[in-house]
Amino acid sequence: MSTILEMRSIIKEFPGVKALDGVDLDVRRGEIHAICGENGAGKSTLMKVLSGVYPHGSYDGEIVYDGETATFSSINDSEKRGIVIIHQELALVPYLSAAENIFLGNEQRGRSGLIDWNKVNTEAAKLMARVGLDENPVTPVNQLGVGKQQLIEIAKALSKEVRLLILDEPTAALNDDDSEHLLDLLRHLKGQGITSIIISHKLNEIEEIADRTTIIRDGRTIETLDMSEAGSTQDRIIRGMVGRDLEHRFPERSTVVGDEVLRVEDWTVYHPTQIGRKIVDGASFNVRAGEVVGIAGLMGAGRTELAMSIFGRSYGRAISGRLFKDGKEIQARTVAEAIEHHIAYATEDRKVYGLNLIEDIRRNVSSAGLGKLAPRGWVNDNEEIRIAEEYRTNLNIKSPDVLSIVGQLSGGNQQKVVLSKWLYTDPDVLILDEPTRGIDVGAKYEIYTIINKMVAAGKAVVVISSELPELLGTCDRIYTLAFGRITGELPVADATQERLMELMTLERDQPLPTKENAS
């Protein structure tokens, strides 16, 4: 199999940081090539160099594409050669149709020079069929789920006659079914001769789909594994990524459970705009001091909606039910009231709801507990810096200082800033919604360690996660949620992925299992 791409001794520097330090990469024609590494290892930077986002002249080293030296000055240059990159943050215009997005910047014009809309919609329908979408091409993109939006991006790439497709964390926000569909599509494109480079933290998917995997650590190439060879396992990839063996994916802890801290009774939430639609239906659960409680459910089960409605009623309407803190009924009608009751919620979407990406670490850490720094109405800047520096050190946030802009940090470090923000409010209950989404195994281990320290200090933690192994590895008890209903409660000693999935897929009209036979 011939080589379609070589990147030789690529060096890319930013002020004070060497992001790439002599990276080498070779990709064979028609293969699916994975790139793995911790957050901040340089994976996305390398792909931005390749695609012209960082133009020729802004880096050192050589790119050889299809046998010729490539000097891309912009992303348009690389696309003309058939290299198309799909970033983790999808670049779609939500209010334009699927067809308009597919041909945006590549409009189909008639003889008059005007856009031929019949041709646009006809060609878009053909491209959508190639990626397995049967939606009407005039459907606005914001009416499609994330999985279908990802397929629209791939259809857009196909419209540019892609030869080398780069996907940065393509399944990070997808459920299992959508992820499997996307992986099947990559296999199908491989059969058509299209080469793919995939960046992913989901090592099980890498093991399943990749022909070869290149591991990058600290801006350097560590090794390239042939995934068909014995020994090319997830553990081998992890060892290359973090520079050491992770004997256990989840740090051990001894559980000492105390009194009940939070209890939710008969909690019901209606959709904010769709009148009469229940999103959460009579849910009840509790969590105790020193305990990690998991909530498992499929996409759309109501997990995030349950958490947000408890946390200051920041989601939904016509919310009913009772909330108890330390045995006493409380009202948490606003986020401020929830914080006053020492309840915190770390959102699943850290970039939209969790952080101010254009502000520094200092401002983000202090934002939810600002009153502690301003007893007389004026913020004590020196104390704000001291507190932020304390969290930066204790949570091992990798940055030069607390004045670093949060949007420039890696995903794992951004997540640590989110946790710092809420830990500074001194919560008794911390609800973590997808706390390790989009971060690497090393950063995940650090997040799990932080959770362990919290419960060791007597805090109560609720973890919502799409990854069942994560719940089984971190929790003491797990509740399952389906169609807004709590369908089961299992101690982790009795829980398996199969049993959890069985409870997570109960239909609306199926009777709930009794507590005696739930396990």
Side-chain angles (χ1 to χ4, degrees), residues 173 244 335 350 363 378 519:
R244 64 189 187 279
V335 168
R350 58 179 173 265
R363 300 292 193 208
W378 297 94
S519 59

Side-chain angles (χ1 to χ4, degrees), residues 350-398:
R350 58 179 173 265
K351 292 189 175 181
V352 175
Y353 299 113
L355 296 169
N356 183 343
L357 295 176
I358 62 174
E359 265 291 5
D360 55 33
I361 294 172
R362 168 193 54 171
R363 300 292 193 208
N364 275 276
V365 169
S366 65
S367 59
L370 205 56
K372 297 168 67 175
L373 291 167
R376 296 174 183 167
W378 297 94
V379 174
N380 184 330
D381 289 340
N382 291 332
E383 183 66 6
E384 185 180 36
I385 290 174
R386 186 192 68 79
I387 291 295
E389 182 59 41
E390 184 178 302
Y391 280 104
R392 187 181 79 90
T393 301
N394 291 342
L395 273 65
N396 192 28
I397 299 171
K398 296 176 182 176

Side-chain angles (χ1 to χ4, degrees), residues 42-348:
K43 308 180 298 295
S44 296
T45 300
L46 184 66
M47 292 300 99
K48 288 178 180 178
V49 166
L50 170 59
S51 59
V53 174
Y54 297 137
H56 179 73
S58 68
Y59 60 88
D60 294 323
E62 184 182 23
I63 299 174
V64 178
Y65 176 66
D66 208 16
E68 299 178 1
T69 299
T71 55
F72 302 134
S73 298
S74 69
I75 198 166
N76 289 332
D77 288 348
S78 63
E79 287 185 349
K80 287 176 183 176
R81 296 288 303 277
I83 300 173
V84 180
I85 183 169
I86 299 176
H87 299 281
Q88 184 175 356
E89 307 298 328
L90 301 181
L92 298 174
V93 182
Y95 296 106
L96 294 184
S97 70
E100 288 171 316
N101 271 282
I102 288 171
F103 289 108
L104 189 62
N106 184 30
E107 285 77 11
Q108 304 296 295
R109 301 184 185 275
R111 293 180 180 178
S112 64
L114 299 176
I115 295 175
D116 184 340
W117 290 108
N118 287 331
K119 184 177 181 182
V120 166
N121 292 327
T122 300
E123 294 302 317
K126 293 177 182 177
L127 292 167
M128 292 167 70
R130 282 185 67 184
V131 300
L133 271 177
D134 59 359
E135 304 290 331
N136 191 320
V138 301
T139 303
V141 160
N142 62 359
Q143 295 181 15
L144 303 176
V146 176
K148 292 181 179 180
Q149 289 184 24
Q150 187 73 265
L151 297 179
I152 293 293
E153 283 277 25
I154 296 177
K156 185 176 181 178
L158 293 176
S159 76
K160 300 173 182 177
E161 298 182 0
V162 61
R163 298 175 60 210
L164 175 60
L165 180 63
I166 306 165
L167 302 105
D168 192 350
E169 295 290 349
T171 65
L174 303 187
N175 61 31
D176 290 343
D177 289 340
D178 286 342
S179 295
E180 191 57 42
H181 179 72
L182 181 61
L183 297 182
D184 284 341
L185 176 59
L186 292 183
R187 297 185 186 97
H188 179 68
L189 295 177
K190 175 183 175 181
Q192 297 179 359
I194 295 175
T195 307
S196 297
I197 297 175
I198 180 171
I199 298 172
S200 179
H201 290 127
K202 296 185 177 180
L203 301 186
N204 59 320
E205 292 181 356
I206 294 302
E207 196 172 33
E208 177 184 346
I209 196 171
D211 296 301
R212 293 191 301 150
T213 298
T214 294
I215 302 169
I216 297 176
R217 184 172 75 239
D218 297 329
R220 297 183 178 93
T221 303
I222 301 303
E223 62 179 332
T224 296
L225 303 175
D226 185 333
M227 300 305 292
S228 65
E229 293 181 355
S232 296
T233 62
Q234 292 186 43
D235 288 339
R236 171 75 176 272
I237 295 172
I238 291 170
R239 187 164 65 248
M241 286 170 59
V242 302
R244 64 189 187 279
D245 288 318
L246 285 183
E247 295 180 5
H248 304 286
R249 300 282 182 93
F250 306 99
E252 294 182 4
R253 65 179 171 87
S254 55
T255 300
V256 180
V257 176
D259 296 331
E260 180 183 85
V261 179
L262 182 73
R263 183 166 83 255
V264 178
E265 288 187 355
D266 197 24
W267 200 257
T268 298
V269 180
Y270 284 84
H271 194 280
T273 60
Q274 298 178 18
I275 306 301
R277 181 186 170 193
K278 282 184 183 179
I279 300 298
V280 180
D281 187 3
S284 299
F285 70 93
N286 74 318
V287 57
R288 295 166 291 188
E291 183 180 39
V292 181
V293 167
I295 297 181
L298 300 175
M299 193 77 73
R303 301 168 305 173
T304 293
E305 293 82 358
L306 172 62
M308 291 180 68
S309 61
I310 291 170
F311 184 65
R313 305 198 171 199
S314 48
Y315 175 90
R317 58 179 291 277
I319 298 172
S320 62
R322 304 175 73 187
L323 199 60
F324 295 85
K325 172 82 186 325
D326 298 322
K328 297 179 180 179
E329 187 167 5
I330 62 169
Q331 297 294 326
R333 293 161 294 194
T334 65
V335 168
E337 282 190 356
I339 293 173
E340 287 175 6
H341 288 298
H342 297 279
I343 300 172
Y345 168 65
T347 173
E348 66 174 338

